[in-house]
C-alpha cells in the first residue's frame, strides 16, 4: 500500500461524499439516509483495509470465492475492524455455504431456490456458531425482466417476498436493482422505486432500497435509494484480475 494510493482513495471518497450530499440536498433528503456500499470486487484486500481506515465499514463483493479469500485477508490486516460484507452478484446455490459464515446481507436473491439454499446455509452457520442470527436479504428486482442479468420480474416479486418472509433463517430487508444498460435512468429508477413501494406495502419491514452505482447514483437518490453501491468512482479502475 503506497501513500499515493491512500491519498487517492481519500480524495475519491471525499468527492463521492460531496456528490451524495449534493444529490440528497437537491431533493431535501439528509445524507445520513443514504448508506454507501463500497464495491470492492477485483480490488485487493489492502485497499479494503485503507477504506476501513478512512471510515468506511460496508463492502460489496460479487464472487463468492474471491470474497471469501478477501474477507480472511482483511481480517488479518485489520483484526480489530468490524467490516460488513454485502453480496451483490449472481450467487450459485452451490456457493451459498462459502458466503453464509461471514456475509452481512445478500442483495441478490431472485428465486425461491436460491432463498431456500441460503436459508439452509444460514441455519447451518448459526448451528455451528459462525453466524449469530437470520441472514438479512434483499430481493433483486429486474426492471426489464431480462433473465440474463438476474433479478425477479414484476410478476414474481411479491410471491418471492412472501416466500422469503416465511423462511425463519432469512430476514427480508428490501429491494436491490440495477438500471438496465442503455435505459433512461430516470424512468428506470422510477420503476424501481415503484416496485420497492409495492414490496414495502406488503412487507413493512422491507424498507431498504439498494439502487444507484457510480454512473447513476444521483438519479437513484432522487428516487429514494437508501444505499448506493459504488465501485469505480471510489476505487478507480484498479483490478487484481483481468476480468
Ligand atoms: C460492480 C457493481 C456495482 C458497482 O459498479 P460501479 O459502476 O463500478 O460503481 C454495483 N452493483 C453491482 C451489483 C455490481 O456488480
Amino acid at each position: 500500500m503506497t501513500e499515493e494510493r491512500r491519498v487517492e482513495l481519500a480524495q475519491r471518497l471525499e468527492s463521492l461524499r460531496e456528490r451524495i450530499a449534493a444529490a440528497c440536498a437537491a431533493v431535501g433528503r439528509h445524507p445520513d439516509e443514504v448508506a454507501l456500499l463500497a464495491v470492492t470486487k477485483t480490488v485487493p484486500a489492502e485497499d479494503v483495509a485503507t477504506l476501513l481506515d478512512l471510515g468506511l465499514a460496508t463492502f460489496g463483493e460479487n464472487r463468492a470465492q474471491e470474497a471469501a479469500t478477501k474477507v480472511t485477508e482483511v481480517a488479518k490486516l485489520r483484526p480489530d475492524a468490524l467490516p460488513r460484507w454485502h453480496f451483490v452478484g449472481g450467487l450459485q446455490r452451490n456457493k451459498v455455504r462459502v458466503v453464509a459464515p461471514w456475509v452481512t446481507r445478500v442483495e441478490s436473491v431472485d428465486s425461491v431456490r436460491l432463498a431456500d439454499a441460503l436459508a439452509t446455509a444460514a441455519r447451518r452457520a448459526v448451528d455451528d456458531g459462525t453466524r449469530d442470527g437470520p441472514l438479512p436479504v434483499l430481493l433483486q428486482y429486474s426492471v426489464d425482466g431480462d433473465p440474463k442479468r438476474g433479478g425477479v420480474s414484476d410478476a414474481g416479486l411479491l410471491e418471492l417476498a412472501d416466500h422469503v418472509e416465511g423462511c425463519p433463517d432469512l430476514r427480508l430487508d428490501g429491494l436491490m436493482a440495477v438500471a438496465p444498460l442503455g435505459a433512461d435512468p430516470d424512468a428506470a429508477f422510477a420503476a424501481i422505486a415503484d416496485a420497492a413501494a409495492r414490496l414495502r406495502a406488503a412487507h413493512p419491514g422491507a424498507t431498504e432500497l439498494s439502487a444507484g452505482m457510480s454512473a447513476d447514483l444521483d438519479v437513484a437518490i432522487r428516487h429514494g435509494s437508501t444505499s448506493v453501491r459504488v465501485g469505480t468512482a471510489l476505487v478507480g479502475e484498479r483490478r487484481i484480475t483481468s476480468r
Side-chain angles (χ1 to χ4, degrees):
M1 172 55 51
T2 62
E3 181 57 22
E4 198 183 342
R5 177 63 171 161
R6 179 178 294 268
V7 169
E8 181 194 344
L9 287 174
Q11 284 168 349
R12 283 178 175 275
L13 177 58
E14 195 186 337
S15 317
L16 181 58
R17 291 230 191 266
E18 281 165 12
R19 195 175 149 200
I20 292 170
C24 286
V27 288
R29 300 185 65 195
H30 194 281
D32 288 353
E33 292 172 34
V34 181
L36 171 56
L37 176 68
V39 178
T40 48
K41 64 188 186 203
T42 77
V43 167
E46 289 76 14
D47 276 0
V48 178
T50 303
L51 293 170
L52 278 164
D53 298 343
L54 294 171
L56 289 181
T58 316
F59 304 95
E61 291 284 333
N62 73 341
R63 309 253 173 166
Q65 203 54 61
E66 176 194 332
T69 305
K70 204 175 297 179
V71 166
T72 307
E73 289 171 356
V74 170
K76 282 192 189 124
L77 290 168
R78 294 293 183 277
D80 296 327
L82 293 169
R84 294 187 291 270
W85 298 95
H86 290 196
F87 198 85
V88 299
L91 185 55
Q92 288 168 321
R93 280 174 295 139
N94 63 0
K95 291 284 167 55
V96 295
R97 292 179 69 175
V98 175
V99 305
W102 48 263
V103 77
T104 317
R105 174 195 278 174
V106 174
E107 301 204 355
S108 46
V109 173
D110 62 358
S111 72
V112 164
R113 295 200 311 166
L114 176 57
D116 286 345
L118 279 169
T120 302
R123 159 75 9 213
R124 199 170 289 154
V126 167
D127 288 346
D128 70 20
T130 46
R131 284 199 73 81
D132 61 5
L135 173 56
V137 301
L138 304 184
L139 305 187
Q140 183 176 347
Y141 172 65
S142 169
V143 187
D144 57 4
D146 178 357
K148 287 193 298 290
R149 302 191 65 222
V152 60
S153 59
D154 261 319
L157 179 65
L158 292 183
E159 206 176 313
L160 179 58
D162 289 343
H163 183 83
V164 169
E165 191 78 67
C167 292
D169 299 303
L170 302 179
R171 192 182 81 197
L172 179 61
D173 278 358
L175 197 82
M176 183 273 259
V178 180
L181 278 175
D184 166 30
D186 206 50
F189 287 112
I192 290 164
D194 187 64
R198 279 182 280 126
L199 176 65
R200 206 175 303 141
H203 299 275
T207 54
E208 294 282 333
L209 174 54
S210 171
M213 326 200 310
S214 294
D216 53 21
L217 65 92
D218 323 80
V219 188
I221 287 172
R222 195 164 354 115
H223 287 285
S225 169
T226 63
S227 177
V228 292
R229 308 178 307 270
V230 184
T232 319
L234 182 61
V235 297
E237 301 289 349
R238 179 177 245 230
R239 295 294 179 247
I240 49 175
T241 63
S242 55
R243 61 171 185 270

